Amino acid sequence: MAQLVTKIEAYLSTKGKSELEIEELVNDKTKIHLINLTGIDEIFSWNVDGITQPTTTELDAFETQALTIENNRIISRNRRLAYPNWRDQLDYIYHNGIEKWKTDIVDPVKSKYPKSS
C-alpha cells in the first residue's frame, strides 16, 4: 500500500503543481499537515490555496501511481549507491571516453535497476 504523502503528491500533480511546488507544500506543515495517532497517516490540516482537500476515495484512486513513484524512488536510491563516486567516474571518462563510460558503468546499473513506467 502506498503512503498517504505519496498519494497526495500524485493528487497535487494532477492539479498542475510542479515537483518543486509539491515538495514545498508537503514539507510546509502550515500547508499540509499529516498526523499518525492510530498507526495510520491522516490529513490533520489542509491549507493549499485553490485546491480542495481530497477525500480518501479520491486519494485511493492514486494508489497505482503512488506505488510507481515510491518504487522509482527506491530504484533511484539503489542506482545512486551502485554508481562509483563522481571523481572515479570523471577519471574513467578522461581515460576511456564517454561511450565506454556509458557501456561499462551507466548501462549495467540501469539494467540492474530498471525504472517502472
Side-chain angles (χ1 to χ4, degrees), residues 1-2 4 7 54-65:
M1 177 177 239
L4 176 61
K7 291 179 187 179
T55 64
T56 302
T57 303
E58 287 175 310
L59 289 176
D60 285 346
F62 290 98
E63 179 71 21
T64 302
Q65 186 178 349

Side-chain angles (χ1 to χ4, degrees), residues 39-109:
I40 299 171
D41 286 338
E42 300 175 44
I43 298 173
F44 179 71
S45 64
W46 182 275
N47 297 307
V48 180
D49 293 336
I51 300 176
T52 58
Q53 180 176 330
T55 64
T56 302
T57 303
E58 287 175 310
L59 289 176
D60 285 346
F62 290 98
E63 179 71 21
T64 302
Q65 186 178 349
L67 284 173
T68 300
I69 292 167
E70 290 174 3
N71 289 335
N72 283 340
R73 285 180 180 157
I74 292 167
I75 290 163
S76 292
R77 179 186 169 277
N78 289 340
R79 284 182 177 184
R80 276 193 311 277
L81 295 172
Y83 286 120
N85 71 57
W86 65 271
R87 289 177 184 91
D88 290 344
Q89 289 188 60
L90 285 176
D91 187 59
Y92 196 91
I93 291 168
Y94 177 78
H95 291 288
N96 301 289
I98 295 277
E99 291 307 314
K100 189 93 169 114
W101 167 75
K102 287 179 185 177
T103 58
D104 292 354
I105 295 177
V106 176
D107 291 344
V109 171

